[in-house]
Amino acid sequence: MAYLTASQRADLQRELEQLSFRRANGRLKRMDPMGRMAYYRNAQNTGQWTTRHVLAGLGTQVTLVEVNLAKQTGRPDRVRNEYTLAEVIVEATPDNRN
C-alpha cells in the first residue's frame, strides 16, 4: 500500500470531520488492514478525550478529539453525558516522507 500524500491526508481530515465519532472510528478501523488503535478515549487534557489510530500501511496517524456536553435530565441527581467530535488531527508518521 502506498503512503498518503499531504493532499490525501487533508481530504481524509475533511471527510472525518463531517462524520460522528462512531462513524469516523469505524471508517478508520476498516481503512487499513495493518492499522491499529493506539488508545481509546484517553483523557490527556481536561474536558477532552482522545482516540488515536495508527494506520501503518498508509503512513498516517489520526487523532479524534471529543468533548463532553453534560445535560441535565428530569432527575436532579442524574447527568446525561453526550460526547461530540470536536477535532480531527491527521498526521504523517515519521517514515512517511510524502
Side-chain angles (χ1 to χ4, degrees):
M1 234 183 248
Y3 287 163
L4 295 180
T5 62
S7 64
Q8 290 171 328
R9 289 191 302 269
D11 291 341
L12 176 63
Q13 181 175 1
R14 281 191 295 275
E15 177 188 342
L16 294 175
E17 287 173 345
Q18 302 300 320
L19 301 176
S20 67
F21 173 77
R22 290 185 64 189
R23 286 188 181 255
N25 199 26
R27 170 92 168 94
L28 292 169
K29 284 181 184 178
R30 291 186 311 272
M31 217 170 149
D32 183 16
M34 292 175 51
R36 64 180 176 86
M37 184 184 291
Y39 48 84
Y40 178 74
R41 285 193 175 161
N42 190 349
Q44 294 181 0
N45 297 326
T46 304
Q48 292 183 346
W49 287 262
T50 57
T51 301
R52 176 167 287 171
H53 290 269
V54 178
L55 307 175
L58 300 175
T60 305
Q61 63 184 7
V62 180
T63 306
L64 304 174
V65 180
E66 296 177 281
V67 294
N68 183 10
L69 302 174
K71 292 185 174 181
Q72 294 294 330
T73 61
R75 294 178 52 180
D77 59 337
R78 300 267 172 121
V79 175
R80 180 184 174 123
N81 291 315
E82 185 174 312
Y83 297 95
T84 58
L85 187 60
E87 186 180 2
V88 177
I89 303 167
V90 180
E91 303 169 316
T93 54
D95 58 337
N96 183 356
R97 294 189 179 99
N98 289 335

